[in-house]
Amino acid sequence: MTTLPKSGRCFPNIFARITFSSLIEVVGENGMHAVFRMAHLPELIDCLPPANEIKEFDTADFSSIFQNLDEIFGYHGARGLAIRAGRITFSEGLKQYGESLGAESLGLRDVTFAERVERGLDTIASVFNQLTDQRIEVTRAADSERWSFVVHRCAVCEGRQADQPACAFTEGLIEEALFYYSGGSKFRVEEVECSAQGAEACLYTIEIPEPENPPFKV
Ligand SMILES: [Zn+2]
């Protein structure tokens, strides 16, 4: 049972709400009630944060949910659950913000595969950069088939300490976003550095596993 000191940085209510709804869908109500209790946030059992963009859900409370998920289900069990919840969170976010985030409004229909990937990554980054205190940078490697996605002040591992990368939730969210924006390709998304392990930021590498997907052309 772990509680983390408040960070003083807050996440928009709706982001916490969608994330916790997704976790409930994956983990089940009883399991998540146990997680909420262990994180000393029992009020979430009866009432999830409201569906508004007000920044008032402390990011350490957000990360303590993932910390306690690990403690209850073990690293590997929690990792699988968090990835699935991350995927659902992207899909639910798309329903909420559909018009502005949708592939149609981004004009993705007539652009190359690489542009779809990049506009997709840039879109997620700009949503988080505008609405949260996280700072995300997306860069493409010189060989063009890999991207890096760097999250400063990550809310998933705020204040946590871990021996292994702790932000599987974000891996799932990026995977689902790229599946959607690319038009159905599966990507390998791996957190290779994590703030919870002492890194300056959480760093994800993104690549297209061969041979499941169509050949990559720039
Ligand atoms: Zn991390």
Side-chain angles (χ1 to χ4, degrees):
M1 185 180 299
T2 302
T3 50
L4 300 168
K6 302 277 184 202
S7 71
R9 283 196 284 273
C10 288
F11 225 33
N13 285 325
I14 190 164
F15 283 25
R17 181 186 181 86
I18 296 175
T19 300
F20 300 154
S21 301
S22 303
L23 280 165
I24 289 169
E25 193 174 327
V26 173
V27 178
E29 286 208 343
N30 290 342
M32 279 312 292
H33 289 179
V35 171
F36 291 148
R37 276 194 211 96
M38 279 181 66
H40 290 280
L41 297 165
E43 63 275 16
L44 293 174
I45 291 172
D46 295 321
C47 189
L48 292 180
N52 63 46
E53 290 179 356
I54 299 171
K55 279 166 56 175
E56 57 186 10
F57 197 89
D58 195 280
T59 52
D61 288 342
F62 189 79
S63 62
S64 76
I65 297 296
F66 289 98
Q67 171 75 32
N68 284 283
L69 195 71
D70 268 20
E71 290 176 18
I72 291 182
F73 293 97
Y75 178 76
H76 291 288
R79 181 176 156 71
L81 295 168
I83 287 175
R84 284 165 58 200
R87 289 191 179 132
I88 296 170
T89 295
F90 174 78
S91 299
E92 289 301 315
L94 196 61
K95 282 185 203 157
Q96 294 275 341
Y97 290 94
E99 283 298 299
S100 55
L101 295 187
E104 283 292 324
S105 49
L106 295 181
L108 297 189
R109 187 164 280 191
D110 300 318
V111 302
T112 65
F113 185 79
E115 280 174 290
R116 291 205 297 272
V117 172
E118 263 159 56
R119 285 195 205 174
L121 290 173
D122 286 343
T123 300
I124 320 171
S126 69
V127 167
F128 282 100
N129 287 342
Q130 281 169 32
L131 297 179
T132 77
D133 291 332
Q134 298 182 133
R135 282 299 161 264
I136 297 178
E137 295 158 21
V138 179
T139 51
R140 185 159 115 185
D143 64 9
S144 302
E145 295 191 8
R146 281 170 60 131
W147 292 263
S148 63
F149 190 92
V150 181
V151 183
H152 295 270
R153 301 197 288 269
C154 167
V156 178
C157 67
E158 173 83 56
R160 294 181 59 187
Q161 289 190 328
D163 297 329
Q164 301 173 84
C167 306
F169 173 81
T170 308
E171 291 178 349
L173 192 147
I174 298 171
E175 278 173 17
E176 187 63 27
L178 288 179
F179 184 80
Y180 169 74
Y181 288 119
S182 71
S185 291
K186 289 182 185 154
F187 289 74
R188 185 183 300 123
V189 179
E190 186 182 3
E191 188 183 25
V192 293
E193 290 179 17
C194 180
S195 301
Q197 294 176 287
E200 203 174 302
C202 296
L203 164 64
Y204 303 82
T205 55
I206 296 162
E207 55 191 6
I208 307 163
E210 305 281 357
E212 297 105 284
N213 290 305
F216 184 87
K217 294 273 186 296
V218 179

